[in-house]
Amino acid sequence: MVAEFTRDKSYPGKIVLLDGISGTGKTMIHRIIDSYECNSLPKFSYAIEQICIAAHYNKIEKDATSAILKLQIDQLKFDLEIGREVNLRKNDLSSIFKSTKRSAYLKKIFLDDVEKVISNLIKQERNVVLITHQLLNATSVFENVFTDNFINIHTVRNPVYLYYHWNTYIKLLGDSVRDLTVWKNEEGNIYPWFFKNIENYKGYAGLTNNDKTLVCLIELIENLLIHHALSSNKPNYLCIEFEKFVLNPSVVINKLDQLFNNQNKKSFKRVLRGEKIPRVHINSGKKRQIYKRYGADSNTTLMEHKA
């Protein structure tokens, strides 16, 4: 008999997954999710992301996937509660200094009473918030492990506006040590993990960057449509369309209030103002350099989007 991995004890609170294709507004949305009192500081976790991808392709046994993910989540909850691995880089988009809870988390760094930390974790029942990149159907791994304790929030954007974002990134994808994504090797062909059928892309390595960008977006959008069709009627799923949200956020905010029991902080409206929501045009947001590269410094777009 082969022993199975197991973990049947965990800190309370739900797992909130903020997923979406890169360039769809997760950085903006995670600041809004952060402003709800019941949520912990949103975190990127490439390790958890990679575990999900491996499990999605059955590279990890189900019992091991479940136990390891639960361990990772509990470790993350504990680390956040004691101020460990908090991002202090001021200019990072995920910096603690951009959080509505920055003072509380900075104070945690100086805590030395571990028993009190554990007591707080159990009493407060905070949700852990993870930000992931284009997991799409691989998010089903979370749903299978955490069932009713899982909230799946997905950001989408018109693919017309994703092209320039992906075109600047595609040269790194699978070709740079800076790229932290999983790749597949099938019959000597190397391609991104989210490609479903290598028969369609055997010539991927020889494509130009422009064509690689288009191919990646086509594959991602096809996966997205399948994911949305499978998830749209589930009560734990919320799809946020960037263009609609920034022009008229009330519908999404009402749904977020329901998911998080109306526990937004006094700083909630300040966060919306900081992100310039609602806007008169989809590009009337913050003028960060990273956004300007994708046309966010102009109030003209390929299509008309106005409030």
Side-chain angles (χ1 to χ4, degrees), residues 22-23 158-171 210 213-214 217 290-296 302:
S22 296
N158 191 307
V160 169
Y161 304 120
L162 296 179
Y163 178 83
Y164 291 110
H165 179 99
W166 274 77
N167 196 241
T168 60
Y169 165 56
I170 208 73
K171 64 188 72 173
N210 290 343
T213 302
L214 289 172
L217 286 175
I290 191 171
Y291 298 153
K292 288 182 180 180
R293 286 186 297 179
Y294 315 130
L302 298 175

Short mmCIF file of all heavy atoms in Angstrom, two decimals, residues 22-23 158-171 210 213-214 217 290-296 302:
data_model
loop_
_atom_site.label_atom_id
_atom_site.label_comp_id
_atom_site.label_asym_id
_atom_site.label_seq_id
_atom_site.Cartn_x
_atom_site.Cartn_y
_atom_site.Cartn_z
N SER A 22 -1.94 38.36 -18.65
CA SER A 22 -1.11 39.53 -18.34
C SER A 22 -1.55 40.72 -19.18
O SER A 22 -1.71 40.62 -20.39
CB SER A 22 0.37 39.21 -18.61
OG SER A 22 0.83 38.21 -17.76
N GLY A 23 -1.75 41.87 -18.50
CA GLY A 23 -2.16 43.08 -19.19
C GLY A 23 -3.64 43.39 -19.08
O GLY A 23 -4.12 44.33 -19.70
N ASN A 158 -10.28 43.51 -23.78
CA ASN A 158 -10.34 43.33 -25.23
C ASN A 158 -8.93 43.01 -25.75
O ASN A 158 -7.99 43.75 -25.49
CB ASN A 158 -10.87 44.61 -25.88
CG ASN A 158 -11.20 44.41 -27.35
OD1 ASN A 158 -10.37 43.94 -28.12
ND2 ASN A 158 -12.41 44.77 -27.73
N PRO A 159 -8.76 41.89 -26.46
CA PRO A 159 -7.41 41.48 -26.90
C PRO A 159 -6.71 42.48 -27.80
O PRO A 159 -5.48 42.45 -27.93
CB PRO A 159 -7.67 40.15 -27.63
CG PRO A 159 -9.13 40.12 -27.93
CD PRO A 159 -9.78 40.91 -26.84
N VAL A 160 -7.48 43.38 -28.41
CA VAL A 160 -6.85 44.43 -29.23
C VAL A 160 -5.84 45.22 -28.41
O VAL A 160 -4.78 45.61 -28.90
CB VAL A 160 -7.94 45.37 -29.80
CG1 VAL A 160 -7.30 46.62 -30.43
CG2 VAL A 160 -8.78 44.65 -30.83
N TYR A 161 -6.15 45.43 -27.11
CA TYR A 161 -5.29 46.24 -26.26
C TYR A 161 -4.20 45.43 -25.55
O TYR A 161 -3.40 45.97 -24.80
CB TYR A 161 -6.14 46.98 -25.22
CG TYR A 161 -7.22 47.83 -25.85
CD1 TYR A 161 -8.56 47.59 -25.56
CD2 TYR A 161 -6.90 48.83 -26.76
CE1 TYR A 161 -9.56 48.35 -26.15
CE2 TYR A 161 -7.89 49.57 -27.37
CZ TYR A 161 -9.22 49.33 -27.06
OH TYR A 161 -10.19 50.09 -27.66
N LEU A 162 -4.20 44.12 -25.78
CA LEU A 162 -3.18 43.28 -25.16
C LEU A 162 -1.96 43.09 -26.06
O LEU A 162 -0.91 42.68 -25.59
CB LEU A 162 -3.77 41.89 -24.83
CG LEU A 162 -4.90 41.84 -23.82
CD1 LEU A 162 -5.38 40.41 -23.64
CD2 LEU A 162 -4.45 42.42 -22.49
N TYR A 163 -2.12 43.40 -27.33
CA TYR A 163 -1.05 43.10 -28.29
C TYR A 163 0.26 43.77 -27.90
O TYR A 163 1.30 43.12 -27.83
CB TYR A 163 -1.45 43.50 -29.71
CG TYR A 163 -0.35 43.23 -30.71
CD1 TYR A 163 -0.18 41.97 -31.26
CD2 TYR A 163 0.56 44.24 -31.06
CE1 TYR A 163 0.85 41.71 -32.15
CE2 TYR A 163 1.59 43.99 -31.95
CZ TYR A 163 1.73 42.72 -32.49
OH TYR A 163 2.76 42.46 -33.36
N TYR A 164 0.27 45.08 -27.65
CA TYR A 164 1.52 45.80 -27.37
C TYR A 164 2.15 45.33 -26.07
O TYR A 164 3.38 45.24 -25.96
CB TYR A 164 1.27 47.31 -27.36
CG TYR A 164 0.94 47.86 -28.72
CD1 TYR A 164 -0.34 48.32 -29.02
CD2 TYR A 164 1.90 47.90 -29.72
CE1 TYR A 164 -0.66 48.80 -30.28
CE2 TYR A 164 1.59 48.38 -31.00
CZ TYR A 164 0.31 48.83 -31.26
OH TYR A 164 0.00 49.29 -32.51
N HIS A 165 1.31 45.02 -25.09
CA HIS A 165 1.82 44.50 -23.81
C HIS A 165 2.59 43.20 -24.05
O HIS A 165 3.71 43.03 -23.58
CB HIS A 165 0.66 44.28 -22.84
CG HIS A 165 1.08 43.72 -21.52
ND1 HIS A 165 1.25 44.51 -20.41
CD2 HIS A 165 1.39 42.45 -21.13
CE1 HIS A 165 1.65 43.75 -19.39
NE2 HIS A 165 1.74 42.50 -19.80
N TRP A 166 1.96 42.28 -24.77
CA TRP A 166 2.58 40.98 -25.01
C TRP A 166 3.75 41.07 -25.98
O TRP A 166 4.72 40.31 -25.87
CB TRP A 166 1.54 39.98 -25.50
CG TRP A 166 0.85 39.34 -24.34
CD1 TRP A 166 -0.14 39.88 -23.56
CD2 TRP A 166 1.14 38.07 -23.79
NE1 TRP A 166 -0.49 39.03 -22.56
CE2 TRP A 166 0.27 37.89 -22.67
CE3 TRP A 166 2.01 37.04 -24.12
CZ2 TRP A 166 0.29 36.74 -21.90
CZ3 TRP A 166 2.03 35.89 -23.36
CH2 TRP A 166 1.18 35.75 -22.26
N ASN A 167 3.70 42.01 -26.89
CA ASN A 167 4.79 42.16 -27.85
C ASN A 167 6.09 42.59 -27.19
O ASN A 167 7.18 42.22 -27.63
CB ASN A 167 4.40 43.16 -28.94
CG ASN A 167 5.29 43.08 -30.15
OD1 ASN A 167 5.97 44.05 -30.51
ND2 ASN A 167 5.32 41.93 -30.80
N THR A 168 5.99 43.36 -26.09
CA THR A 168 7.21 43.77 -25.38
C THR A 168 7.74 42.65 -24.50
O THR A 168 8.92 42.64 -24.13
CB THR A 168 6.93 45.00 -24.48
OG1 THR A 168 5.91 44.67 -23.53
CG2 THR A 168 6.49 46.19 -25.31
N TYR A 169 6.86 41.69 -24.16
CA TYR A 169 7.25 40.59 -23.27
C TYR A 169 7.70 39.34 -24.03
O TYR A 169 8.50 38.55 -23.53
CB TYR A 169 6.05 40.27 -22.37
CG TYR A 169 6.12 38.96 -21.62
CD1 TYR A 169 7.19 38.66 -20.78
CD2 TYR A 169 5.10 38.02 -21.74
CE1 TYR A 169 7.25 37.45 -20.09
CE2 TYR A 169 5.15 36.81 -21.06
CZ TYR A 169 6.22 36.53 -20.24
OH TYR A 169 6.27 35.34 -19.57
N ILE A 170 7.21 39.18 -25.24
CA ILE A 170 7.38 37.92 -25.97
C ILE A 170 8.84 37.56 -26.20
O ILE A 170 9.20 36.38 -26.25
CB ILE A 170 6.62 37.96 -27.32
CG1 ILE A 170 6.19 36.55 -27.74
CG2 ILE A 170 7.41 38.65 -28.40
CD1 ILE A 170 5.08 35.98 -26.96
N LYS A 171 9.71 38.55 -26.31
CA LYS A 171 11.13 38.27 -26.55
C LYS A 171 11.79 37.60 -25.34
O LYS A 171 12.82 36.95 -25.48
CB LYS A 171 11.87 39.57 -26.90
CG LYS A 171 11.91 40.61 -25.80
CD LYS A 171 12.48 41.93 -26.28
CE LYS A 171 11.52 42.65 -27.19
NZ LYS A 171 11.99 44.02 -27.53
N ASN A 210 6.43 39.37 -33.65
CA ASN A 210 5.06 39.81 -33.91
C ASN A 210 4.12 38.63 -34.07
O ASN A 210 3.02 38.61 -33.52
CB ASN A 210 5.02 40.68 -35.17
CG ASN A 210 5.68 42.03 -34.96
OD1 ASN A 210 5.90 42.46 -33.83
ND2 ASN A 210 6.01 42.71 -36.05
N THR A 213 3.55 36.81 -30.80
CA THR A 213 2.58 37.54 -29.99
C THR A 213 1.16 37.17 -30.38
O THR A 213 0.32 36.88 -29.52
CB THR A 213 2.78 39.06 -30.15
OG1 THR A 213 4.12 39.41 -29.77
CG2 THR A 213 1.80 39.85 -29.31
N LEU A 214 0.89 37.17 -31.67
CA LEU A 214 -0.45 36.84 -32.15
C LEU A 214 -0.83 35.40 -31.81
O LEU A 214 -1.95 35.13 -31.35
CB LEU A 214 -0.53 37.05 -33.67
CG LEU A 214 -0.49 38.50 -34.15
CD1 LEU A 214 -0.38 38.56 -35.66
CD2 LEU A 214 -1.74 39.25 -33.69
N LEU A 217 -1.61 35.07 -28.07
CA LEU A 217 -2.89 35.67 -27.72
C LEU A 217 -4.07 34.85 -28.23
O LEU A 217 -5.08 34.70 -27.55
CB LEU A 217 -2.97 37.11 -28.26
CG LEU A 217 -2.13 38.13 -27.49
CD1 LEU A 217 -2.18 39.49 -28.18
CD2 LEU A 217 -2.61 38.26 -26.05
N ILE A 290 5.09 52.37 -17.26
CA ILE A 290 4.79 51.03 -17.75
C ILE A 290 3.47 50.99 -18.51
O ILE A 290 3.29 50.20 -19.44
CB ILE A 290 4.77 50.02 -16.57
CG1 ILE A 290 4.72 48.58 -17.10
CG2 ILE A 290 3.61 50.30 -15.61
CD1 ILE A 290 4.91 47.52 -16.04
N TYR A 291 2.52 51.89 -18.14
CA TYR A 291 1.24 51.93 -18.84
C TYR A 291 1.34 52.75 -20.13
O TYR A 291 0.67 52.45 -21.11
CB TYR A 291 0.16 52.53 -17.95
CG TYR A 291 -0.12 51.75 -16.69
CD1 TYR A 291 -0.61 52.37 -15.55
CD2 TYR A 291 0.09 50.38 -16.64
CE1 TYR A 291 -0.87 51.65 -14.39
CE2 TYR A 291 -0.17 49.65 -15.48
CZ TYR A 291 -0.65 50.30 -14.37
OH TYR A 291 -0.91 49.58 -13.23
N LYS A 292 2.18 53.78 -20.10
CA LYS A 292 2.31 54.63 -21.29
C LYS A 292 2.83 53.86 -22.49
O LYS A 292 2.53 54.18 -23.63
CB LYS A 292 3.24 55.81 -20.98
CG LYS A 292 2.63 56.86 -20.05
CD LYS A 292 3.60 58.01 -19.82
CE LYS A 292 2.98 59.06 -18.90
NZ LYS A 292 3.92 60.20 -18.68
N ARG A 293 3.63 52.82 -22.22
CA ARG A 293 4.16 52.01 -23.31
C ARG A 293 3.05 51.34 -24.11
O ARG A 293 3.21 50.98 -25.26
CB ARG A 293 5.09 50.91 -22.77
CG ARG A 293 6.43 51.43 -22.31
CD ARG A 293 7.34 50.28 -21.93
NE ARG A 293 6.82 49.51 -20.81
CZ ARG A 293 7.43 48.44 -20.31
NH1 ARG A 293 8.56 48.00 -20.85
NH2 ARG A 293 6.91 47.79 -19.28
N TYR A 294 1.89 51.16 -23.45
CA TYR A 294 0.79 50.46 -24.10
C TYR A 294 -0.32 51.43 -24.52
O TYR A 294 -1.46 51.02 -24.73
CB TYR A 294 0.23 49.37 -23.18
CG TYR A 294 1.29 48.56 -22.52
CD1 TYR A 294 1.30 48.33 -21.15
CD2 TYR A 294 2.33 48.01 -23.28
CE1 TYR A 294 2.30 47.58 -20.55
CE2 TYR A 294 3.33 47.27 -22.68
CZ TYR A 294 3.32 47.05 -21.33
OH TYR A 294 4.31 46.32 -20.74
N GLY A 295 0.00 52.73 -24.60
CA GLY A 295 -0.96 53.69 -25.10
C GLY A 295 -1.84 54.33 -24.07
O GLY A 295 -2.83 54.99 -24.40
N ALA A 296 -1.50 54.17 -22.78
CA ALA A 296 -2.37 54.70 -21.72
C ALA A 296 -2.20 56.19 -21.51
O ALA A 296 -2.81 56.75 -20.61
CB ALA A 296 -2.10 53.97 -20.41
N LEU A 302 -8.39 52.34 -30.53
CA LEU A 302 -8.85 51.76 -31.78
C LEU A 302 -10.36 51.66 -31.81
O LEU A 302 -10.96 51.63 -32.88
CB LEU A 302 -8.22 50.38 -31.97
CG LEU A 302 -6.69 50.35 -32.08
CD1 LEU A 302 -6.19 48.92 -32.13
CD2 LEU A 302 -6.24 51.11 -33.33
#
